[in-house]
Amino acid sequence: MPLLEDLKEYAERATGLRRPGKRRASELPRPRNVVRFRDDGLVPNHPRWPLMLYRSAVRLDEQHDPAAVLEDLFEGNGWGDSWRDGIYDYVHYHSRIHEVLGIARGKGRVRFGGNKGRTFTLKAGDVVVLPAGTGHQCLAADKDSLVVGAYPSAGTYDECTTVEDRPRALKTIPKVPVPRKDPAYGGAGPLKKLWKRPK
């Protein structure tokens, strides 16, 4: 499926077909929820910043490719290096970068916060913003489900899965800068209000 989605993305970007564009995509997000996780001994989670869960955040329609809508929305708010695929089926986190996950198609059960975290059923149109250190793992997903992920411009991708990753992660997670914009709501979004550096 990733190869087919890569080809679709290339064709859509080249032609502009089924893409809303960055300006139109910014009009599509809806309200949100906030979830905090504690360090579970393996997965640090973020010491200060919550996960942002935006239920039915984006109105997806037949006119536009849902993955393209999410890509344009995220890119329009400064979150790039997007990918189309699924969420890994093992517990992992990123210690040097934040991540946004948008559900383009289908639904699935995803556990956030590590093995002691919380499980949520995510469906098409949902968006989840994970601060660095937040554990995530797909427990089950529809066969046709599709996720679009992206990252802010500041930070470096890494993947942490073991207890050996933890000492370095505890040092790097608090240093990952606040993104300039919320990936779904832009400069006036809730991320800027809830993710703040200590004074």
Side-chain angles (χ1 to χ4, degrees):
M1 182 171 57
L3 180 59
L4 175 62
E5 290 300 330
D6 289 343
L7 293 172
K8 281 176 56 180
E9 178 187 2
Y10 178 79
E12 291 164 355
R13 287 184 185 279
T15 65
L17 294 175
R18 300 200 68 209
R19 293 192 79 87
K22 294 173 185 170
R23 181 172 292 148
R24 172 82 175 101
S26 69
E27 300 167 3
L28 301 176
R30 292 184 178 168
R32 66 258 168 220
N33 295 312
V34 174
V35 185
R36 295 184 189 277
F37 298 104
R38 292 188 177 146
D39 185 326
D40 76 356
L42 173 66
V43 176
N45 293 300
H46 200 282
R48 291 181 306 277
W49 301 339
L51 172 143
M52 315 283 275
L53 175 57
Y54 303 166
R55 293 285 189 189
S56 301
V58 180
R59 284 170 270 165
L60 302 174
D61 58 32
E62 297 296 320
Q63 181 181 357
H64 301 106
D65 174 35
V69 169
L70 293 165
E71 288 164 347
D72 284 354
L73 176 64
F74 299 157
E75 288 172 15
N77 289 315
W79 291 60
D81 293 329
S82 63
W83 50 265
R84 296 181 183 193
D85 201 349
I87 300 168
Y88 294 140
D89 62 358
Y90 53 88
V91 177
H92 67 287
Y93 62 94
H94 311 294
S95 70
R96 297 168 33 176
I97 199 160
H98 309 300
E99 183 174 35
V100 62
L101 304 170
I103 311 303
R105 187 172 59 231
K107 68 179 179 179
R109 287 179 42 246
V110 181
R111 182 169 50 213
F112 295 101
N115 289 328
K116 298 177 184 176
R118 289 180 54 193
T119 301
F120 296 93
T121 298
L122 303 178
K123 61 183 181 2
D126 291 349
V127 171
V128 185
V129 187
L130 293 79
T134 304
H136 46 299
Q137 172 188 21
C138 181
L139 301 176
D142 290 346
K143 195 178 244 186
D144 71 335
S145 68
L146 178 65
V147 178
V148 172
Y151 309 93
S153 58
T156 304
Y157 181 88
D158 69 340
E159 185 179 308
C160 302
T161 59
T162 68
V163 71
E164 289 79 22
D165 296 322
R166 191 174 163 74
R168 179 186 52 80
L170 290 172
K171 293 177 184 173
T172 58
I173 290 167
K175 295 178 183 176
V176 179
V178 178
R180 292 183 65 227
K181 293 182 179 179
D182 185 297
Y185 293 91
L191 182 145
K192 296 297 278 185
K193 296 174 185 134
L194 293 171
W195 289 14
K196 293 185 179 181
R197 287 267 174 228
K199 295 181 180 181

